[in-house]
């Protein structure tokens, strides 16, 4: 699986650890959308890059990380076709895949610890979308995007 990942400075250190986990534990191919260090940057730039990489098909799914996970998930969700889910525990990660078919995982590096982040990643990487009635609801999300002209 090809995963696009991006963070701001608040998420940089966790991003590096998640990249290592993705390649070593899951054999994933990683597209690192930045940032490249702990100097202050703007999270919308990285949420957008990851979202665009996923929607264009250059990656199968994406991961975004900032201090809280809030700003970068809001930003990624502005890219039509992105369903970014901010997850703070394994249950949310599971539901985000089974029910919401989340194609972007968002985490807050200042909210959760490294080990919890790895557990959330594990669940999110290994849980499939259930389809059925949940597809109907996702189609309705797409209809909202279309109504507002993307
Ligand atoms: C940066 O200081 C911080 O605002 C950012 O990482 C994030 O938490 C925004 O939602």
């Amino acid at each position: 699986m090809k995963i696009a990942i991006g963070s701001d400075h608040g998420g940089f250190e966790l991003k590096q650890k998640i990249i290592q986990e993705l390649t070593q534990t899951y054999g994933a191919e990683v597209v690192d959308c930045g940032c490249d260090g702990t100097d202050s940057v703007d999270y919308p730039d990285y949420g957008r890059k990851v979202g665009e990489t996923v929607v264009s098909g250059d990656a199968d799914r994406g991961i975004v990380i900032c201090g809280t996970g809030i700003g970068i998930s809001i930003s990624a969700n502005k890219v039509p076709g992105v369903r970014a889910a901010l997850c703070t525990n394994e249950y949310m990660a599971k539901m985000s895949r089974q029910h919401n078919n989340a194609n972007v995982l968002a985490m807050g590096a200042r909210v959760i610890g490294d080990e919890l982040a790895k557990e959330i990643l594990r669940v999110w990487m290994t849980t499939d979308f259930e389809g059925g009635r949940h597809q109907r609801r996702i189609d309705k999300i797409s209809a909202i995007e279309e109504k507002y002209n993307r």
Side-chain angles (χ1 to χ4, degrees):
M1 192 184 296
K2 199 166 172 181
I3 306 279
I5 186 166
S7 76
D8 73 353
H9 52 287
F12 174 74
E13 285 172 9
L14 180 57
K15 172 169 74 73
Q16 300 312 109
K17 290 172 188 162
I18 294 292
I19 288 174
Q20 199 177 355
E21 190 76 0
L22 283 168
T23 52
Q24 291 179 2
T25 305
Y26 301 97
E29 191 181 336
V30 172
V31 182
D32 188 350
C33 297
C35 66
D36 300 318
T38 53
D39 289 349
S40 184
V41 293
D42 299 332
Y43 57 78
D45 298 334
Y46 302 93
R48 175 182 176 164
K49 264 189 212 172
V50 170
E52 289 177 346
T53 305
V54 171
V55 168
S56 69
D58 289 338
D60 301 302
R61 290 199 224 159
I63 297 174
V64 292
I65 306 170
C66 68
T68 58
I70 296 171
I72 203 161
S73 60
I74 292 173
S75 307
N77 273 319
K78 295 297 178 189
V79 179
V82 167
R83 291 178 303 281
L86 174 56
C87 297
T88 56
N89 60 47
E90 296 95 322
Y91 179 73
M92 293 174 80
K94 183 177 164 189
M95 289 300 116
S96 81
R97 290 290 310 133
Q98 287 186 342
H99 289 192
N100 312 114
N101 199 12
N103 53 7
V104 173
L105 167 66
M107 294 189 284
R110 296 174 183 157
V111 178
I112 57 172
D114 293 351
E115 293 311 310
L116 179 53
K118 285 180 196 168
E119 277 303 296
I120 289 170
L121 177 70
R122 180 183 62 74
V123 173
W124 192 76
M125 288 292 288
T126 57
T127 305
D128 291 329
F129 178 49
E130 282 181 352
R133 68 187 187 281
H134 303 296
Q135 183 58 55
R136 183 180 71 239
R137 292 160 186 167
I138 285 171
D139 291 343
K140 289 189 177 185
I141 294 174
S142 304
I144 297 170
E145 286 178 340
E146 276 164 32
K147 176 176 177 187
Y148 290 96
N149 207 16
R150 305 188 139 243

